[in-house]
Amino acid sequence: MTRAAIVTGATGGVGAATVEALLDRGYGVVAVDLAPPPAAWAEDERIVPLTADVSQEASAAEAVAAAETRFGRLDLLVNNAGLFLRKPIEHTSVDDLQRLLAVNVVGAFVFTRAAVPALARTRGAIVNLGSISGLVGTPGQSAYAITKGAIVQFTRQSAIEHAPLGIRVNAVAPGAIETEFMSKAVAAGSDPGLDWDELRRNNPLGRVSSAAEVADAIVWLAGAEAVSGEILSIDGGHTAR
């Protein structure tokens, strides 16, 4: 029987790489994003594209129903959808913070809550997308760090709360990732802190991670049956310092 996953923020960067990694391992995927899906997804019976706002309870319920209708089960939820903001706190508005909280935190909450009954039936797993900004301080990321710090604690809390149901909950905490989004931000040149050379120097391994590497870690956590409540840093050793 085909295993099934829900991936939020599925159309770009880590989300798209995660969809591909899961397909390679035999999963069917409900791919959720506010952005329109790639045209090729419409021709792939293993993918159910869902254009939806992850912060809405109805979106979460629709995604779970889609997984159970198309694939008959749900084995994995990847709460990947997220917004990034790099701005000094004195220039950060309450609206900025609420916008990030809605997607990064409320989205993970409502999708987790909706998925728990289905995941309990398969003794499945949840992988949340954290960040090293939820573990260590980074200039200009107060609002973003609040949301990712919340994801770290939400992961640990969920792991304890849902362990009696056989559901494992973990998170990945990437550092800089070479994605189209990051490439555009660097190319814009509006933020002197966003420079590829500087980002590489900040990592002891001397390079940034790829979206595929983060996706591989997500898939590993999905299958690591003895692991729960862990925050796996993917940052070239940055937080080890």
Side-chain angles (χ1 to χ4, degrees):
M1 183 178 292
T2 300
R3 292 174 294 176
I6 294 171
V7 179
T8 68
T11 65
V14 171
T18 301
V19 170
E20 290 301 319
L22 290 169
L23 293 176
D24 287 346
R25 290 160 176 83
Y27 280 80
V29 180
V30 178
V32 185
D33 205 302
L34 196 57
W41 285 6
E43 302 171 3
D44 194 331
E45 294 183 352
R46 301 170 300 169
I47 304 176
V48 181
L50 179 60
T51 303
D53 180 348
V54 298
S55 70
Q56 301 302 305
E57 294 176 82
S59 301
E62 186 177 0
V64 174
E68 295 198 298
T69 299
R70 175 69 67 88
F71 306 113
R73 58 190 290 151
L74 179 63
D75 301 87
L76 173 64
L77 168 63
V78 181
N79 283 313
N80 168 71
L83 298 177
F84 177 72
L85 180 68
R86 185 181 175 99
K87 188 186 291 187
I89 191 169
E90 62 269 25
H91 300 306
T92 303
S93 68
V94 172
D95 285 345
D96 287 334
L97 176 59
Q98 290 178 336
R99 184 169 59 92
L100 265 65
L101 285 168
V103 176
N104 298 6
V105 180
V106 175
F109 178 85
V110 298
F111 268 77
T112 296
R113 186 177 63 182
V116 162
L119 291 172
R121 290 191 283 273
T122 60
R123 300 181 70 84
I126 299 171
V127 182
N128 296 321
L129 260 291
S131 167
I132 61 171
S133 297
L135 301 173
V136 296
T138 304
Q141 295 189 20
S142 292
Y144 181 69
I146 287 169
T147 69
K148 292 306 181 178
I151 288 298
V152 167
Q153 188 56 24
F154 181 51
T155 298
R156 292 172 175 152
Q157 175 64 30
S158 296
I160 298 303
E161 188 167 332
H162 302 312
L165 300 175
I167 300 172
R168 296 175 295 101
V169 186
N170 296 286
V172 293
I177 311 170
E178 193 163 358
T179 62
E180 183 179 359
F181 171 83
M182 182 64 77
S183 295
K184 288 180 179 178
V186 172
S190 57
D191 188 338
L194 287 178
D195 172 84
W196 285 124
D197 289 338
E198 182 65 23
L199 291 169
R200 294 184 184 103
R201 282 193 294 270
N202 281 335
N203 290 339
L205 286 182
R207 66 180 184 88
V208 299
S209 302
S210 69
E213 288 173 318
V214 179
D216 284 344
I218 291 168
V219 174
W220 180 80
L221 285 170
E225 296 185 359
V227 180
S228 193
E230 291 300 316
I231 314 299
L232 179 60
S233 295
I234 307 170
D235 61 7
H238 179 81
T239 53
R241 298 181 304 186

